[in-house]
Amino acid sequence: MGRYQEMANSKPLFLTIYAAVIVGIAVSSFYVLSAGNSLLTTYPTSWLSSSNVESPYANQSHNISESTVDVVPAPPSQPQNIWTKPIWEVPLTKKMPPLKKFRLTKELVEQRVKDNVIIVTFGNYAFMDFILTWVKHLSDLGLSNLLVGAMDTKILEALYWKGVPAFDMGSHMSTVDVGWGSPTFHKMGREKVILIDAILPFGYELLMCDTDMVWLKNPLPYLAQYPDADVLTSSDQVVPTVVDDRLDIWQQVGAAYNIGIFHWRPTESCKKLAKEWKEMLLADDKIWDQNGFNDIVRRQLGPSVDGDSGLVYAYDGNLKLGIFPASIFCSGHTFFVQAMYQQLRLEPYAVHTTFQYAGTEGKRHRLREAMVFYDQAEYYDAPGGFLSFKPKIPKRLLLDGEHNLESHFSLINYQIKQIRSALAIASLLNRTLVMPPLWCRLDRLWFPHPGVLVGSLTRQPFLCPLDHVFEVNVMLKEMSQEEFGPKINIREYSFIDNPSLPKQVKESSLDVQLCQEGTQDCQASNNTIPSGILKFPKRSGEETFKTIFSSFSDVKVIQFSSMQDAFIGFTDKTREEKFRNRVKRYVGIWCCVENHTPGHIYYDMYWDEKPGWKPIPPQSPEDDHPPW
């Protein structure tokens, strides 16, 4: 599921890859990614319910009957059974068929194929919500020719009762998140290769996908444009080689081919490749599946198949390979950092959550930021309600001067201080904090770089993913309340704009305008002014917040005009100490300074309490630790 971009121990590989791809490109347009237009996509208008497994997406839309279900018609002229019925149509029986009915066979695949293409993903129960999101995007696009490989019986049963066509991979996989790079993770990679090798002899085209990606546009017409291609693969290319929707220019793609999204035709060259790849991985469990694929395919690369298609002869000299354009078959960098598709005015087909720094939780959060992840109804109406604020950033911090370490950290630290206050207030009021959009001047990577990758379309400043600065996985995990105080739940910056936000939440809000105490109508009171705004004094303390806002406990969303000087501090020093212990761990690192080892620099939640604080990497091994 994860890609090697997520691990620091991949640094040597990346230095080699990116040395081959750093080229200069001049782009004159300035880009700003706004929360309001993160993506042109289709959102759910209804969802399904299941008698056996509670649907995580039930009641996504408040104005559609819960009994209404958007289903994709099954292929015509076939008897209705568990494989041919429409997606999301739940079984009418109360007993699940025996496991042997779910074995992968040609006959099973044949019942879901359309135009000779089958779209496949696979995973264990830990990725249930990713898989349902993957299926929902495809069904919203009108595609029904899909199958999900179940790596444990728990997810097989859950998918069956939700009306999702699934088959048993016989993997006996753990139902928990296995983590990138673990032995179980590598076992999952081998299962993918075994699966490809098993399906190709059936004679169908295979669009193979990882579950940590989503489809935003029907890819089948695009694939049909290249009927001569044996394999079409995505890549980790971050420098554009084309500015339209043609295949990337293979001679200019120095980054790894990424096996999270790729399309296989059942040709003899493909079958030969899949068999050799499988045998390589089964013979040596230390080989990572993606590295093995790249080694084999690049064994022979060139010449071009012709002058127009963009295909290249690869592998054995007979296999015709094409590389999806990274601008529209997006990686986590070209989509979330560069927003390359927007800058080139293109429509993205897919996004894969690579190039991120917070594990599975970080992937989920990025998809939520882009408003393309489908959550349970309660996610949008949390107990206690929500707290949000407008992050007012001075122009000098955002735009003035050079983009360097000093200006980047000045910008980030200014935002960190406001977020720290918001976390404290959210904790006091027992509300979920809607994180603000986060602005960066410098990119984050896991190897030394000059601030942004040369030749990429990364604008400065840019709206950066939360995991560039914050440890999203730490913010979301359970921590001892005895040591760290109460958990502070968070939501993505685009949360309030999400179409899935129910009416009762949207229409229950209070605008809070910070004011200078002593000015007109500015006093610690729960009385709103005629426009419905609550004026609230700056530099208020713990007791004032709890007293005033207890009157608004039924309000779903409290929106502050600013967090600048909003909170003066805790009265309860024990609670404050626990809060400090918690939020110190919320920030991560910036990486990496060139010509210095180590090259990372730690963010510090309490940087402003340290006179003379400067953004410098650890000067000795003893200094190489977080600031807590």
Side-chain angles (χ1 to χ4, degrees):
M1 308 292 172
R3 299 270 65 85
Y4 61 82
Q5 297 92 331
E6 301 160 276
M7 300 298 292
N9 62 10
S10 299
K11 174 179 170 183
L13 171 63
F14 273 86
L15 290 174
T16 302
I17 292 171
Y18 280 98
V21 301
I22 301 301
V23 296
I25 290 184
V27 179
S28 60
S29 61
F30 178 81
Y31 165 71
V32 175
L33 175 61
S34 67
N37 66 346
S38 297
L39 187 63
L40 295 176
T41 187
T42 303
Y43 296 100
T45 57
S46 62
W47 197 246
L48 64 151
S49 61
S50 169
S51 57
N52 291 64
V53 182
E54 183 65 26
S55 168
Y57 308 138
N59 198 23
Q60 281 273 346
S61 178
H62 61 273
N63 58 359
I64 301 291
S65 167
E66 290 187 13
S67 63
T68 302
V69 179
D70 293 337
V71 295
V72 178
S77 303
Q78 293 181 333
Q80 291 291 297
N81 58 41
I82 63 173
W83 303 114
T84 60
K85 63 184 178 58
I87 297 173
W88 308 125
E89 185 178 291
V90 298
L92 298 177
T93 59
K94 293 186 177 181
K95 184 178 180 181
M96 184 174 170
L99 277 181
K100 65 181 181 180
K101 291 284 188 180
F102 296 89
R103 291 173 183 164
L104 180 66
T105 62
K106 180 177 181 179
E107 290 70 29
L108 182 155
V109 177
E110 184 177 28
Q111 294 179 86
R112 297 258 27 128
V113 163
K114 184 178 180 182
D115 297 329
N116 209 49
V117 178
I118 189 70
I119 311 170
V120 176
T121 194
F122 66 101
N124 66 350
Y125 191 77
F127 286 85
M128 180 70 174
D129 54 351
F130 282 89
I131 289 171
L132 292 176
T133 293
W134 182 86
V135 174
K136 187 65 169 68
H137 276 279
L138 286 171
S139 65
D140 281 352
L141 292 168
L143 296 172
S144 61
N145 50 326
L146 61 90
L147 281 169
V148 177
M151 303 191 79
D152 60 69
T153 54
K154 186 175 181 180
I155 193 172
L156 180 65
E157 292 176 3
L159 292 173
Y160 171 76
W161 293 115
K162 288 187 181 298
V164 174
F167 62 91
D168 180 19
M169 292 179 65
S171 305
H172 307 294
M173 183 68 67
S174 166
T175 60
V176 300
D177 187 355
V178 298
W180 195 98
S182 67
T184 308
F185 170 85
H186 287 295
K187 181 179 185 297
M188 292 178 78
R190 280 154 176 73
E191 294 281 350
K192 176 200 290 187
V193 184
I194 293 170
L195 188 55
I196 293 169
D197 182 61
I199 292 177
L200 285 179
F202 296 163
Y204 307 119
E205 296 180 30
L206 170 64
L207 180 53
M208 192 76 198
C209 318
D210 282 357
T211 57
D212 60 342
M213 60 80 59
V214 296
W215 289 104
L216 309 172
K217 184 178 178 180
N218 182 354
L220 300 188
Y222 189 93
L223 304 177
Q225 293 181 78
Y226 301 95
D228 295 331
D230 294 305
V231 174
L232 293 168
T233 181
S234 58
S235 79
D236 294 325
Q237 183 73 8
V238 296
V239 177
T241 72
V242 295
V243 294
D244 50 27
D245 63 355
R246 290 176 296 164
L247 294 175
D248 264 333
I249 299 171
W250 67 268
Q251 296 95 330
Q252 297 179 25
V253 176
Y257 303 147
N258 190 296
I259 61 173
I261 309 171
F262 58 171
H263 175 252
W264 297 64
R265 286 195 169 89
T267 62
E268 291 307 311
S269 287
C270 275
K271 294 173 188 176
K272 178 182 174 185
L273 169 61
K275 185 173 186 297
E276 183 176 347
W277 186 20
K278 180 188 75 172
E279 290 174 349
M280 167 197 277
L281 296 179
L282 293 179
D284 186 348
D285 60 9
K286 293 182 176 61
I287 299 176
W288 178 35
D289 55 347
Q290 180 163 288
N291 287 350
F293 178 79
N294 276 266
D295 289 343
I296 293 176
V297 171
R298 292 173 184 264
R299 186 181 298 159
Q300 177 179 330
L301 195 60
S304 296
V305 173
D306 53 50
D308 300 318
S309 68
L311 301 177
V312 57
Y313 287 110
Y315 173 48
D316 59 357
N318 295 312
L319 183 130
K320 295 183 283 293
L321 174 75
I323 305 163
F324 290 128
S327 58
I328 51 179
F329 290 83
C330 308
S331 69
H333 199 278
T334 62
F335 188 91
F336 296 107
V337 176
Q338 298 187 56
M340 192 184 287
Y341 73 92
Q342 285 192 342
Q343 298 200 67
L344 297 177
R345 303 295 188 266
L346 301 172
E347 293 184 26
Y349 280 87
V351 55
H352 188 192
T353 53
T354 56
F355 287 86
Q356 66 86 39
Y357 306 94
T360 302
E361 294 288 4
K363 296 177 180 185
R364 190 179 284 110
H365 193 85
R366 284 205 182 184
L367 294 175
R368 286 169 171 165
E369 287 183 332
M371 297 190 289
V372 297
F373 196 83
Y374 299 131
D375 277 291
Q376 299 180 35
E378 54 264 32
Y379 180 82
Y380 299 100
D381 193 1
F386 304 97
L387 178 86
S388 69
F389 72 96
K390 295 179 180 178
K392 295 182 177 178
I393 304 172
K395 169 185 171 292
R396 61 179 176 80
L397 291 177
L398 196 63
L399 299 175
D400 292 356
E402 294 182 5
H403 297 290
N404 54 33
L405 280 175
E406 289 71 27
S407 63
H408 171 75
F409 272 84
S410 293
L411 172 62
I412 295 297
N413 284 344
Y414 188 89
Q415 295 172 90
I416 283 177
K417 188 174 179 180
Q418 294 183 59
I419 292 170
R420 185 180 76 200
S421 293
L423 286 165
I425 296 169
S427 178
L428 289 174
L429 304 184
N430 194 30
R431 286 182 173 268
T432 296
L433 177 62
V434 178
M435 296 295 288
L438 192 65
W439 288 94
C440 293
R441 282 180 175 250
L442 303 184
D443 198 356
R444 175 182 177 176
L445 295 155
W446 47 93
F447 54 88
H449 62 94
V452 297
L453 292 172
V454 178
S456 69
L457 299 190
T458 305
R459 303 295 87 212
Q460 292 177 281
F462 64 97
L463 192 62
C464 52
L466 188 64
D467 59 79
H468 270 213
V469 175
F470 286 83
E471 298 287 296
V472 177
N473 51 324
V474 175
M475 299 177 81
L476 296 176
K477 78 175 183 179
E478 296 297 327
M479 300 167 69
S480 166
Q481 290 201 24
E482 183 66 29
E483 185 176 358
F484 301 107
K487 182 178 182 179
I488 310 167
N489 291 314
I490 63 168
R491 293 293 186 267
E492 63 282 2
Y493 73 83
S494 57
F495 178 79
I496 302 298
D497 296 318
N498 197 311
S500 294
L501 197 70
K503 183 179 181 181
Q504 70 267 19
V505 175
K506 290 180 182 178
E507 295 183 353
S508 176
S509 65
L510 173 69
D511 288 330
V512 179
Q513 188 176 80
L514 293 182
C515 56
Q516 191 67 43
E517 191 167 21
T519 60
Q520 184 179 2
D521 296 323
C522 188
Q523 55 185 329
S525 167
N526 58 11
N527 295 322
T528 59
I529 60 177
S531 59
I533 293 173
L534 176 71
K535 286 201 166 188
F536 189 75
K538 292 182 178 180
R539 290 176 287 278
S540 292
E542 175 180 348
E543 294 306 321
T544 303
F545 270 95
K546 291 196 293 188
T547 300
I548 299 302
F549 287 100
S550 64
S551 302
F552 301 101
S553 58
D554 291 337
V555 174
K556 298 290 187 180
V557 182
I558 294 178
Q559 305 178 86
F560 277 76
S561 62
S562 171
M563 273 293 151
Q564 194 67 27
D565 299 322
F567 182 59
I568 198 171
F570 291 88
T571 305
D572 184 337
K573 296 305 176 184
T574 300
R575 179 166 190 164
E576 179 180 23
E577 187 60 32
K578 291 179 179 181
F579 173 80
R580 292 172 70 97
N581 285 343
R582 173 179 287 275
V583 299
K584 281 178 182 178
R585 291 162 170 77
Y586 279 8
V587 288
I589 62 170
W590 179 83
C591 199
C592 296
V593 174
E594 295 182 289
N595 304 317
H596 194 283
T597 303
H600 54 257
I601 301 173
Y602 290 96
Y603 291 109
D604 190 338
M605 184 67 85
Y606 288 93
W607 63 273
D608 54 321
E609 296 181 358
K610 300 174 180 177
W613 186 94
K614 292 183 179 179
I616 56 175
Q619 299 301 296
S620 68
E622 292 74 26
D623 295 331
D624 190 7
H625 60 81
W628 37 269

